Amino acid sequence: MSNTPTKADVPWLGVIADDYTGASDVAGTLVRAGMRVVQTFGIPEPSMQLHDVDCIVISLKTRSVPAAEAVEESLAAAHALKSWGVQQLYFKYCSTFDSTAEGNIGPVADALRNEFVSDGQVTVVAPGTPALGRTVYNGVLFAGMDLLQESSMRHHPLTPMSGSNVPRLLQAQTKTLVGHVGYNAIEAGAAAVQAHFQALSTASIGYAVVDTLDDRHLTVLGAALLDHPLVTGGSGLVGGLAIARGSRVQPESARVTRPAGPAAIVAGSCSEMTRAQIDTFRQSRPCFLVDPVAIAEGQDVVGEALDFARKNMEDGPVLIHSTASPEEVSRVQGQLGRARAAEMTEESLSTIAEGLIRLGCRQLIVAGGETSGAVVRSLGISTARVGREVTPGVPWLTTEADDELAILLKSGNLGDPRLFLDAWDHDR
Ligand code: ADP
């Protein structure tokens, strides 16, 4: 395997992530592979100084906004990354291919391809992330043992997934032809994969959905993609790309330290794992439920939540959540509408997070991709150093502002049921 030399002090990889927890997931995967990673929230200022950084991950909140907005922001992020000299762009979406009816995976990938890929080169589409139980077999995406469309993703409040065939899901979002490279080809090695890419591009096919059954497949793909200016996928494939670049064991001195102090969890994710994590936490620590309908009726839910935190945070972590069952979410959406329910919930949880920081909170877990986007924006966090993962895809971040905060952004389905109890002592 040939390692492309990386210029010292120039990050080789620039990631554009379509949500904040997905960005943390990819950043944590890169740290696990020995890379030094900075994560930004929104598009950083061109004057941002970079020292000792291998990879930059830009977190956007473009998964469920109108497609044109997602395209515009993603292109701006790509230009910023190019201005830091990155050699390879990675468009990161969810390993469960979370999309609205309009996209946004297809439109964003099309725009990036248009600008950064020379005619004829195929662009890989690799949602599969075996470490998280997301595998792609014959183009069909599985979440654990379930077809995507039969997994809990069918109930997602914003991007319910009713299909599992990735080429078909993507083809509905783009005019560029979508093809597929099966696991047999991938098991035959990087050269065989490249030959398949070539055959697809000769047939005027622009996207290659790749099977990924285990991490070996990601390693082969990483080697096959070394010279691709644009790669798209879930968090899994960046691990393969890092190995192909010659990932290393991070020295102890590169370890990111994080502040200690009062701790809280804010959860807007309604995913099954978040619900299990809340049920486990509730058995030993206090929780406060935020009801979107009560907010709509003008009740001071934010004030009540902060009173609750004031009374309980000194004794240990507290949890404030809007998390509810699929039936309850449908009821709320029926009363308020899907978009308004999400907007009001995200806004209230963000105001609560701001209040928590004012109350002295120094360690904050946020559960939910959209929720994390809203909270991080309202806290005004712009960059963070990425520490080690608590569990695959879930690293602690330390903000780079003077008033340091340890923040952990957890995507709905990640982690195990004890995460909200166990994350605090991890790697201290
Ligand atoms: P995940 O990472 O699990 O997908 P997200 O935060 O991305 O979580 O998405 C959950 C969405 O559901 C958010 O927009 C949130 O505001 C919304 N939401 C949270 N609680 C409720 C509720 N009780 N009723 C309706 N919508 C809700």
Side-chain angles (χ1 to χ4, degrees):
M1 192 192 308
S2 75
N3 282 354
T4 301
T6 308
K7 269 194 273 168
D9 290 334
V10 176
W12 61 270
L13 185 71
V15 181
I16 304 153
D18 71 350
D19 88 336
Y20 284 27
T21 50
S24 273
D25 176 4
V26 89
T29 307
L30 286 163
V31 169
R32 195 189 325 146
M35 296 293 162
R36 297 160 302 176
V37 185
V38 163
Q39 182 174 348
T40 77
F41 300 95
I43 299 163
E45 293 296 325
S47 56
M48 182 175 82
Q49 296 294 313
L50 290 175
H51 300 290
D52 303 326
V53 175
D54 302 305
C55 311
I56 316 172
V57 177
I58 297 187
S59 332
L60 298 179
K61 195 173 183 299
T62 47
R63 188 170 293 172
S64 39
V65 302
E69 214 175 290
V71 165
E72 191 183 332
E73 281 194 47
S74 305
L75 281 176
H79 289 135
L81 290 167
K82 281 288 173 190
S83 75
W84 277 290
V86 306
Q87 295 161 30
Q88 194 162 43
L89 292 173
Y90 194 94
F91 171 35
K92 156 73 174 69
Y93 37 78
C94 192
S95 57
T96 44
F97 214 72
D98 302 16
S99 321
T100 63
E102 294 75 35
N104 294 332
I105 297 174
V108 170
D110 283 348
L112 293 170
R113 252 178 77 71
N114 220 358
E115 199 152 330
F116 298 102
V117 179
S118 45
D119 279 350
Q121 195 181 47
V122 105
T123 299
V124 85
V125 176
T129 303
L132 305 179
R134 316 287 197 261
T135 52
V136 176
Y137 173 65
N138 289 334
V140 176
L141 183 48
F142 289 82
M145 301 284 281
D146 297 320
L147 284 171
L148 177 64
Q149 71 201 66
E150 291 171 6
S151 74
S152 59
M153 278 307 294
R154 70 190 187 282
H155 296 307
H156 193 278
L158 299 175
T159 50
M161 297 303 290
S162 55
S164 309
N165 181 297
V166 182
R168 231 177 277 156
L169 288 170
L170 180 58
Q171 195 65 80
Q173 303 176 15
T174 174
K175 290 196 170 63
T176 306
L177 290 177
V178 181
H180 169 245
V181 177
Y183 65 97
N184 282 332
I186 296 165
E187 287 183 354
V193 173
Q194 284 167 338
H196 275 77
F197 288 162
Q198 189 53 50
L200 290 177
S201 73
T202 307
S204 302
I205 291 171
Y207 290 111
V209 174
V210 287
D211 280 359
T212 38
L213 297 178
D214 57 35
D215 284 349
R216 282 175 313 133
H217 293 166
L218 298 176
T219 307
V220 172
L221 286 165
L225 292 164
L226 263 175
D227 297 329
H228 281 226
L230 171 70
V231 179
T232 85
S235 63
L237 185 53
V238 291
L241 294 174
I243 290 170
R245 292 274 163 179
S247 57
R248 52 183 161 268
V249 177
Q250 218 180 52
E252 203 51 20
S253 58
R255 220 169 116 173
V256 179
T257 53
R258 64 174 205 270
I265 304 153
V266 170
S269 157
C270 298
S271 297
E272 239 166 55
M273 184 50 76
T274 305
R275 291 171 59 212
Q277 286 157 344
I278 291 175
D279 285 345
T280 307
F281 184 86
R282 195 195 308 281
Q283 287 164 26
S284 48
R285 292 294 306 154
C287 300
F288 181 96
L289 177 66
V290 169
D291 174 5
V293 176
I295 302 168
E297 286 169 354
Q299 207 173 305
D300 182 17
V301 176
V302 170
E304 290 168 23
L306 291 174
D307 278 345
F308 155 84
R310 196 174 293 115
K311 288 189 190 115
N312 293 290
M313 204 162 50
E314 268 180 24
D315 306 329
V318 296
L319 189 150
I320 297 171
H321 68 99
S322 64
T323 308
S325 65
E327 299 74 35
E328 174 62 10
V329 170
S330 301
R331 192 186 67 82
V332 171
Q333 290 181 334
Q335 277 182 259
L336 304 177
R338 178 180 285 187
R340 184 151 175 260
E343 197 180 310
M344 291 191 43
T345 310
E346 289 174 28
E347 201 180 299
S348 302
L349 292 178
S350 302
T351 314
I352 290 168
E354 286 178 56
L356 287 168
I357 304 300
R358 276 198 304 276
L359 289 175
C361 173
R362 281 291 161 269
Q363 304 183 76
L364 182 67
I365 294 179
V366 188
E370 296 294 325
T371 310
S372 293
V375 167
V376 167
R377 275 184 188 182
S378 75
L379 294 182
I381 298 170
S382 57
T383 52
R385 276 274 166 178
V386 184
R388 291 191 202 174
E389 295 167 297
V390 175
T391 182
V394 190
W396 274 108
L397 311 176
T398 299
T399 61
E400 297 207 305
D402 294 341
D403 216 1
E404 274 192 345
L405 172 71
I407 189 160
L408 183 147
L409 308 178
K410 189 204 81 84
S411 171
N413 282 312
L414 297 193
D416 67 23
R418 287 192 54 84
L419 182 80
F420 293 167
L421 291 170
D422 295 345
W424 314 104
D425 298 323
H426 179 80
D427 201 28
R428 281 238 181 260

